[in-house]
Amino acid sequence: MKSFQRKILVINDIGGPGGAEKILVQFSNVLLKEGFEPIIILGSSGSTHLTLEKQFSTIVAPNSGLFYRIRNFFWTCFKIYKFEGNVVVLNSLFCQILYSPVCKVFRKKTIWYQHNIQVNLVRKIFMVVWRLLFVKHMIAVSNAVKKSYDLGFFKVKLLADTVIHNGITPLMPKKHFETISYTNEINEISKNNQIIISVSRLTPYKGVDLLIEAFAEIELTNARLLIVGDCGLSKKDLCYKKELINLTKSDPRVLMLGWRDDIAEL
């Protein structure tokens, strides 16, 4: 296979920590194992950038100065145009909407990697039309995501071509996170407990506070809520972490386990 045919351009709009970025790391490793050469463009620097640059050719967009987002759009368009391969993977929803038409103009085969379940009908129809117009293939991170694009009469045509599940390898070393757990021991949980597990970064838009409040309405004494994950280092995330701690103090059934690397065992 010619070298340019092995090269795949992968674009994500940010380089910080998060679910989409973790999926990007996993997917890039899959491409590498399959013999491809992923070249990654990130809209900003951050922990994902630090993780990826050790193993992959990684380019970070200039993200400072006035109107940098507009400048970054044209900068990325130029990178797509100059890319000598012909396959571009768009990892985040923002990139998928913004750069799919650009890839079409420059005659690149576009692949979406979808991780969001679409429940809003208007957004679903928009994304489906966008895919028909500009996208060659769509990969889903789970069967649930794959099925969420089903519009019935378009079923065969619009579902993702394949599913590539995200792994559970941690994106950042544990030392980058603060330990927020009351306990890392969960031996008090028995087989008779009804267990709910939440695994996510602790940031406001994840809605972990709503989960804790909803769990408080459950009157079952044998129910347990395990909250796995930690916050980023921004002031907003650190304040949110403190809010969650205060919410859980009055309910011993809620265990905040912090960052863990044994998700499969849990």
Side-chain angles (χ1 to χ4, degrees):
M1 185 183 292
K2 297 179 180 179
S3 60
F4 76 88
Q5 292 177 324
R6 294 198 307 268
K7 292 182 178 180
I8 295 180
L9 188 65
V10 184
I11 304 176
N12 197 71
D13 56 318
I14 62 174
E21 289 68 46
K22 183 174 178 179
I23 289 171
L24 172 64
V25 174
Q26 301 293 339
F27 182 63
S28 300
N29 283 316
V30 170
L31 291 176
L32 195 64
K33 289 178 182 177
E34 294 295 325
F36 294 99
E37 299 175 22
I39 300 171
I40 301 159
I41 291 180
L42 299 173
S44 66
S45 59
S47 57
T48 301
H49 168 224
L50 296 176
T51 300
L52 288 168
E53 70 175 356
K54 297 175 184 177
Q55 193 172 6
F56 305 102
S57 175
T58 308
I59 308 168
V60 179
N63 56 352
S64 61
L66 192 62
F67 306 121
Y68 75 90
R69 289 190 180 275
I70 297 175
R71 185 180 71 235
N72 283 2
F73 169 74
F74 290 104
W75 178 88
T76 304
C77 289
F78 180 73
K79 293 295 182 183
I80 294 172
Y81 168 71
K82 293 292 290 183
F83 176 57
E84 60 181 3
N86 64 349
V87 177
V88 179
V89 178
L90 303 177
N91 186 58
S92 66
L93 186 63
F94 175 81
C95 290
Q96 289 162 1
I97 294 173
L98 202 59
Y99 296 116
S100 294
V102 176
C103 292
K104 184 80 170 182
V105 170
F106 294 140
R107 297 182 179 180
K108 307 294 184 183
K109 295 179 181 178
T110 308
I111 298 175
W112 279 0
Y113 195 2
Q114 283 293 352
H115 355 113
N116 298 311
I117 293 177
Q118 294 297 339
V119 294
N120 182 289
L121 182 60
V122 174
R123 182 183 293 180
K124 183 187 293 189
I125 292 174
F126 173 79
M127 294 298 290
V128 162
V129 171
W130 217 242
R131 190 205 164 182
L132 286 173
L133 289 174
F134 302 115
V135 182
K136 183 70 174 178
H137 299 290
M138 185 169 82
I139 302 170
V141 75
S142 70
N143 289 318
V145 171
K146 180 178 178 179
K147 291 178 181 177
S148 73
Y149 284 84
D150 180 9
L151 284 180
F153 50 90
F154 283 138
K155 182 176 181 179
V156 175
K157 201 168 187 178
L158 300 182
L159 286 180
D161 303 286
T162 189
V163 173
I164 299 179
H165 295 282
N166 184 31
I168 59 171
T169 304
L171 177 64
M172 295 175 64
K174 190 173 181 178
K175 64 182 181 180
H176 288 284
F177 289 108
E178 292 187 63
T179 301
I180 65 169
S181 53
Y182 297 130
T183 175
N184 280 323
E185 300 296 328
I186 56 173
N187 51 13
E188 62 187 86
I189 295 177
S190 70
K191 293 181 179 179
N192 296 324
N193 289 129
Q194 297 186 35
I195 301 172
I196 300 172
I197 300 180
S198 168
V199 182
S200 73
R201 181 160 56 96
L202 302 184
T203 194
Y205 65 82
K206 296 294 185 179
V208 180
D209 56 319
L210 299 177
L211 175 61
I212 295 172
E213 292 173 358
F215 183 79
E217 301 295 322
I218 300 176
E219 298 180 355
L220 297 174
T221 56
N222 68 334
R224 296 290 185 273
L225 173 60
L226 309 183
I227 299 175
V228 180
D230 211 327
C231 66
L233 301 180
S234 68
K235 184 177 180 180
K236 179 176 68 174
D237 282 0
L238 290 171
C239 290
Y240 185 65
K241 176 188 72 175
K242 294 177 181 178
E243 177 188 341
L244 296 179
I245 291 174
N246 290 331
L247 281 174
T248 59
K249 282 182 177 178
S250 59
D251 192 342
R253 301 174 304 162
V254 181
L255 300 177
M256 295 186 69
L257 302 180
W259 188 98
R260 298 186 68 104
D261 57 5
D262 58 347
I263 305 300
E265 287 78 7
L266 285 175

